[in-house]
């Protein structure tokens, strides 16, 4: 009997933020092979329409499938919010029902019930993720008693990608959004960082948030969720190669990617250019 083909786990993001997801996954599951694809040439996705985000994400998923991935993680909240469901429900049955695409919103929604005491949760994310209402819908499906209040932080990603996360300007914009969120609902005791870039601002966030409020970055929960998923789906797990290797691809200039990736990974990476269109 022929063995099913094998390949790496694909991790997709519109830009660099998915590198925090990749890092968290590799910390927990270092034995697997990974292929990271950043659509940096068309980033950011945060303010784009549902249709455009879906088309771009579908192109990336198809490319990762072509490159041998049987399991793809959308390491991007906007793509998870605007494209994941359509790809899972409409595209996968037509393309290849044995392949899987997972997102980053569900794992966070699953654990949030055990993290909040007040049942009032805050969300800091891109405009697209906040507008999609995906976090509230996903959380309230699992925890109907939790109230979710979200605000967009449009300047946080440019601050991070321009290597200004340690600057006084970053303090101003971080404090401004945290204060705004807590004014909307003073009972919030847990805040989800609903953009994969935002953990880079964690020192500033912890500095300006009031005591007793818990900050929830996603990478740890996405990694644990993936570990559980692979244990429950040995048929998928067997199709992943295991040499501990990671490849990086970008739709932008590889040198620029290499430089910015260091902000997220604190290591040098070899990157190749790829076209999605």
């Amino acid at each position: 009997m022929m063995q099913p083909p094998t390949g790496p786990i694909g991790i997709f993001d519109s830009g660099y933020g998915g590198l925090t997801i990749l890092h968290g996954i590799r910390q927990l599951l270092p034995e697997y092979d990974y292929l990271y694809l950043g659509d940096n040439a068309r980033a950011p996705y945060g303010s784009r329409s549902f249709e455009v985000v879906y088309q771009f994400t579908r192109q990336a998923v198809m490319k990762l499938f072509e490159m041998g991935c049987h399991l793809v993680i959308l390491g991007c909240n906007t793509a998870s919010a605007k494209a994941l469901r359509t790809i899972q429900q409409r595209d996968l049955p037509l393309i290849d029902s044995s392949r899987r695409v997972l997102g980053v919103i569900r794992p966070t929604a699953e654990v949030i019930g055990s993290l909040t005491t007040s049942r009032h949760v805050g969300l800091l994310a891109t405009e697209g993720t906040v507008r999609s209402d995906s976090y509230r819908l996903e959380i309230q499906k699992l925890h109907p008693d939790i109230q979710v209040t979200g605000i967009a932080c449009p300047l946080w990603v440019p601050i991070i990608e321009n290597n200004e996360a340690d600057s006084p300007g970053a303090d101003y914009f971080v404090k401004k959004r945290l204060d705004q969120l807590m004014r909307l609902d003073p009972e919030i005791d847990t805040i989800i960082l609903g953009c994969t870039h935002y953990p880079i601002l964690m020192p500033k966030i912890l500095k300006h948030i009031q005591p007793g409020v818990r900050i929830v970055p996603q990478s740890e929960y996405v990694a644990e969720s993936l570990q559980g998923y692979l244990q429950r789906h040995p048929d998928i797990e067997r199709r992943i190669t295991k040499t501990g290797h990671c490849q990086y691809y970008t739709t932008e200039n590889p040198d620029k990617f290499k430089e910015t990736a260091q902000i997220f990974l604190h290591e040098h990476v070899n990157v190749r250019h790829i076209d999605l269109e």
Side-chain angles (χ1 to χ4, degrees):
M1 189 174 142
M2 270 182 64
Q3 288 296 310
T6 58
I9 295 173
I11 311 269
F12 167 68
D13 185 27
S14 57
Y16 300 99
L19 293 169
T20 62
I21 297 294
L22 172 64
H23 180 70
I25 291 172
R26 290 189 79 196
Q27 295 280 101
L28 188 65
L29 303 166
E31 68 273 26
Y32 296 104
D33 292 336
Y34 298 93
L35 199 162
Y36 184 89
L37 170 54
D39 187 12
N40 306 81
R42 301 188 294 194
Y45 281 15
S47 55
R48 292 187 183 272
S49 70
F50 268 76
E51 186 54 33
V52 169
V53 171
Y54 162 67
Q55 293 295 350
F56 286 0
T57 304
R58 188 182 185 280
Q59 285 175 351
V61 167
M62 293 297 289
K63 182 63 74 173
L64 287 165
F65 284 172
E66 277 172 36
M67 296 168 85
C69 300
H70 300 279
L71 173 64
V72 173
I73 314 290
L74 302 185
C76 171
N77 283 275
T78 305
S80 296
K82 294 184 172 184
L84 177 64
R85 190 151 301 217
T86 309
I87 288 171
Q88 286 176 333
Q89 294 177 355
R90 192 170 78 192
D91 295 324
L92 281 183
L94 300 172
I95 299 163
D96 183 346
S97 58
S98 73
R99 296 184 192 250
R100 296 288 180 270
V101 182
L102 306 174
V104 291
I105 293 174
R106 177 85 185 189
T108 316
E110 285 173 348
V111 299
I112 204 71
S114 63
L115 303 178
T116 172
T117 306
S118 71
R119 316 310 275 174
H120 289 253
V121 168
L123 170 69
L124 300 168
T126 65
E127 181 192 344
T129 300
V130 172
R131 260 201 206 161
S132 74
D133 213 19
S134 296
Y135 268 95
R136 187 187 64 78
L137 293 170
E138 207 62 55
I139 288 170
Q140 290 187 341
K141 242 188 271 176
L142 301 165
H143 314 285
D145 61 321
I146 292 180
Q147 190 171 315
V148 182
T149 304
I151 60 163
C153 308
L155 292 173
W156 286 21
V157 169
I159 286 169
I160 292 161
E161 291 195 354
N162 287 292
N163 212 2
E164 295 289 337
D166 293 331
S167 69
D171 279 285
Y172 172 80
F173 288 110
V174 167
K175 184 176 188 307
K176 182 178 180 181
R177 291 302 179 204
L178 289 172
D179 290 350
Q180 183 186 350
L181 181 64
M182 296 308 293
R183 272 198 306 275
L184 286 172
D185 183 357
E187 288 186 65
I188 287 170
D189 70 348
T190 306
I191 297 175
I192 297 167
L193 301 186
C195 171
T196 50
H197 278 69
Y198 294 176
I200 303 293
L201 287 168
M202 188 64 96
K204 301 287 191 198
I205 293 167
L206 294 174
K207 177 178 166 185
H208 294 294
I209 195 61
Q210 58 200 56
V213 177
R214 181 176 195 151
I215 307 298
V216 181
Q218 297 170 293
S219 57
E220 174 190 336
Y221 302 108
V222 172
E224 287 171 2
S225 179
L226 176 59
Q227 184 180 47
Y229 182 87
L230 293 173
Q231 287 165 354
R232 293 192 307 277
H233 296 86
D235 53 321
I236 300 285
E237 199 278 338
R238 280 194 295 271
R239 297 174 78 178
I240 301 166
T241 49
K242 303 171 183 69
T243 66
H245 185 59
C246 189
Q247 303 170 67
Y248 298 87
Y249 290 85
T250 177
T251 56
E252 244 282 9
N253 180 318
D255 291 334
K256 184 179 186 312
F257 184 96
K258 212 178 284 189
E259 193 182 311
T260 309
Q262 285 187 62
I263 299 169
F264 294 85
L265 296 175
H266 308 295
E267 63 177 280
H268 292 282
V269 296
N270 289 317
V271 192
R272 276 177 275 186
H273 179 266
I274 197 167
D275 285 313
L276 294 182
E277 293 180 276

